[in-house]
Amino acid sequence: MKPSTHQNRFASRIKRLIRKSSDDYRITIGEVLRRRGIISEKQLQYALKLQKEKLNTFGKAIRLGQIIVELGYSSEEELVDAVNKEYRISVGSLKDDIKGLVKQKRDSFVEGLPAIRIPIWLQLFTATIFIIITTILLLNFLTLSKQKERLYRQTIKIGKVSLNYFSSNASIPLLEDNILRLNSLIKEAADVDGLLYAMIVDNNQIIKAHTDINKIDTNFEKFDNIEDVKREGDVTYFNYFLKSSEHVLNLTSSISFKDKKLGKVHVGVSIDFIKKLIHKERMSIVLISLFVILFGIVIAIFFGFRFSRPISKLVLATAEIGAGNYQHKIILDRNDELGNLATAFNRMGDELWKNSLMQKSFGKYIGSEILDMIMVEPESAWLKGRKNEATIIFTDIRGFTSYSEANEPEKVVEGLNEYFEIATQAIQDNGGYVDKFIGDAVLGVFGVPVHHENHVERAVRAAIDMQKEFQKERETDNNLLKSIGIGINSGVVVSGNIGSSNKMEYTVIGDCVNVASHLNALAKTGEIIISKNVYDILNGIIKVEELSPQYIKGKTESIETFKVLSIKEKNYAKTGN
């Protein structure tokens, strides 16, 4: 394989690593299905919208694949097959850990590297220390640069003062060739800090005075390798290096008497001495800087943990809320925005807990299918009242009053709960919902608000399922299950939210409901009595025994009634279509 191919493959892997979140995690199952032409873009957007609404309503995420299947856009088998082909994995159902299997499929060590997680306290700490150190270094650089320049200018100033002193006082001694007096002048300058030398040279280039007495009356040697020559008035100064490699600033000025030049005075100041002074200044600044940095580290760690710990608690609380623990509380004794956030978070948990309780309680009566419809579209028109075709099922217990008077309240309530449990389960399993409990009676509704074309069949099958279950349980000591009759009628009802501004309930009303109640009164223990409307719809799949016509209060004519004996096997799923 050519080197360029290796490089291209490596670059490709790095790009895939960078796109890790945008490719493997951003691409949802819905997008995979859309790309493969299984669902349309419009269907995908609706499914995503419904997923968001369910998250806001129930406080927990619902898998997008599950929503797509529930909407009927794709079967689970088709969806699983698309995922397997897209990611080259082996998924059996939507309940499998698809995300984990995709991760395991990575074919590169680089791609398998976990994302670097940097705690927020460390981020704050690093940022604070970086700012402190950068600021200190910048201040040090500016301060030392200015200090160096200031010392250099100060040295030149001192040198000029010395030159002026020599120039003013050496003219007469130099004119008189008074070597003793000249050297006395030079000696006075020898004690100045940083001064390497001072010398007086006559016009014959003979050193008449020098801080080094061994050089007196010797020839003056010109300076070598001078640099940065500058002139200010009668003063000339430049830099050069001694044979000892010491860096020197030399300042030179003429000695005159009545405009006659008698010679020159030279003063040499150690630039290394200036550097030593700068070094001392630098060490002082470094020590101060280290103290500031250490203090900054302490402050950074303090504030890092002060901000990161509440956030960690919020993350933990979010996970608890996501897991359904809505009563999890955050305890933060802070009088700032984080404290306000904790208070708001706890308030949110309380509201979610209340909503969860209401949803669970409500769902026990109306079923999860209807509950989902109400939560997604709480202002839907079907909640506001309209006429619908529906099937009503009434069940109650024969002789319940005498039974309740003869038994302890605890036993009565326990028996009723068992009876209600069986009736409710049978109604919900067949796609209906429990409208209400009326004493020992159960009112079940099929066809609204979730419409099923076969709602009449569903109601009858629910009644048969109930009686079968009651028959099984009659062997127990719950005598209530031995005395249950059922009545069923189908027709037009008015359904919607009924009540006051303080209390509302979704229910059905109308003549159809009243007839179902009267049919229930006719049913004996273990019987299911239906109206002619029900019989006409199910004729062909139901076996009945025709009963004598019955007169019902409020009706001018008698109604035909039938006792259900059996029904053919059903051809629909329990809680679906």
Side-chain angles (χ1 to χ4, degrees), residues 297-493:
I297 289 174
V298 174
I299 296 298
I301 291 175
F302 172 76
F303 280 103
F305 281 105
R306 178 170 172 79
F307 284 102
S308 66
R309 283 176 177 172
I311 294 174
S312 298
K313 290 183 178 181
L314 285 168
V315 171
L316 176 61
T318 303
E320 291 290 331
I321 293 292
N325 182 14
Y326 300 128
Q327 291 184 292
H328 183 84
K329 301 297 181 186
I330 303 175
I331 308 300
L332 285 182
D333 186 16
R334 297 174 65 113
N335 189 22
D336 56 13
E337 287 80 0
L338 286 173
N340 296 338
L341 179 60
T343 302
F345 194 95
N346 291 335
R347 190 181 299 117
M348 178 194 71
D350 290 337
E351 292 300 320
L352 287 173
W353 178 66
K354 292 177 183 177
N355 291 339
S356 175
L357 287 180
M358 288 188 291
Q359 289 174 23
K360 288 179 180 178
S361 300
F362 195 30
K364 290 179 180 178
Y365 299 98
I366 65 174
S368 59
E369 190 176 15
I370 300 173
L371 176 62
D372 290 346
M373 292 178 62
I374 294 175
M375 298 307 294
V376 171
E377 297 182 282
E379 300 299 326
S380 180
W382 54 266
L383 286 172
K384 298 178 180 179
R386 64 183 182 183
K387 288 185 177 181
N388 295 281
E389 287 283 341
T391 303
I392 308 300
I393 179 172
F394 256 105
T395 77
D396 73 352
I397 302 170
R398 305 291 173 257
F400 176 73
T401 303
S402 58
Y403 177 84
S404 60
E405 291 175 351
N407 290 276
E408 294 296 324
E410 292 82 359
K411 185 177 181 180
V412 174
V413 171
E414 183 180 353
L416 271 178
N417 286 339
E418 186 178 0
Y419 153 60
F420 287 148
E421 181 71 28
I422 295 172
T424 300
Q425 192 65 49
I427 291 172
Q428 291 184 352
D429 283 350
N430 285 277
Y433 82 95
V434 176
D435 185 274
K436 59 174 65 72
F437 299 129
I438 310 170
D440 62 316
V442 177
L443 169 58
V445 182
F446 292 80
V448 292
V450 179
H451 179 70
H452 297 290
E453 292 292 337
N454 57 349
H455 59 85
V456 179
E457 179 185 348
R458 288 172 177 269
V460 174
R461 290 193 185 279
I464 293 174
D465 289 346
M466 272 189 233
Q467 291 292 19
K468 286 180 179 179
E469 211 48 49
F470 293 148
Q471 183 67 36
K472 290 179 184 178
E473 299 295 334
R474 282 171 190 165
E475 299 176 0
T476 66
D477 60 349
N478 188 355
N479 294 325
L480 294 178
L481 303 181
K482 301 174 183 178
S483 309
I484 297 172
I486 302 174
I488 304 174
N489 185 35
S490 185
V492 177
V493 298

Side-chain angles (χ1 to χ4, degrees), residues 27 30-39 86-87:
I27 292 180
E31 289 174 325
V32 171
L33 296 177
R34 179 188 58 77
R35 239 173 21 198
R36 291 180 172 268
I38 297 175
I39 64 175
E86 175 74 19
Y87 297 110

